[in-house]
Amino acid sequence: MTPTLILAINIAAIAVMLLCLTTVYRLRSNIPGGVVGKQWGYLTSLVTLFTLGYFVTPFFTSLPPEIISLVVAMIFFFGAVYVLITVRLIYRIIEEMTR
């Protein structure tokens, strides 16, 4: 893959994450407190963390391999945590709706 294509993909990914970040913060005021609000706070934190991480991706080519491996491992870990929180949040919302 050419460096220009990689950079273009990175910029597109950053743009999508910025859109997600603004959406998460915009929706935050509409989320009730309690369990759902707490979970939404966790999701907001993770989306913020991922967005910051995406800003690093254009510089990956200048990072040592050990750092790249650590960043990838962290992305996998926090991605798994994000999925766990999302599934639990959806479960709780469905549980509330069916009562």
Side-chain angles (χ1 to χ4, degrees):
M1 231 185 256
T2 67
T4 306
L5 179 59
I6 292 170
L7 181 61
I9 293 170
N10 284 330
I11 290 170
I14 290 168
V16 170
M17 285 306 294
L18 285 171
L19 177 64
C20 292
L21 187 63
T22 56
T23 303
V24 164
Y25 276 99
R26 193 175 310 132
L27 289 173
R28 192 174 191 178
S29 63
N30 297 331
I31 303 296
V35 175
V36 173
K38 184 177 179 182
Q39 296 293 310
W40 193 262
Y42 293 146
L43 287 175
T44 301
S45 298
L46 286 170
V47 170
T48 302
L49 178 68
F50 281 124
T51 302
L52 293 173
Y54 274 55
F55 276 101
V56 177
T57 58
F59 306 105
F60 264 23
T61 55
S62 61
L63 294 174
E66 302 84 32
I67 300 296
I68 293 172
S69 295
L70 176 62
V71 169
V72 169
M74 289 174 58
I75 289 170
F76 283 146
F77 175 74
F78 287 114
V81 171
Y82 181 87
V83 170
L84 175 66
I85 292 170
T86 302
V87 169
R88 289 179 63 199
L89 177 61
I90 292 169
Y91 174 78
R92 288 191 172 126
I93 290 169
I94 292 170
E95 193 175 51
E96 286 291 320
M97 291 174 60
T98 57
R99 284 187 189 176

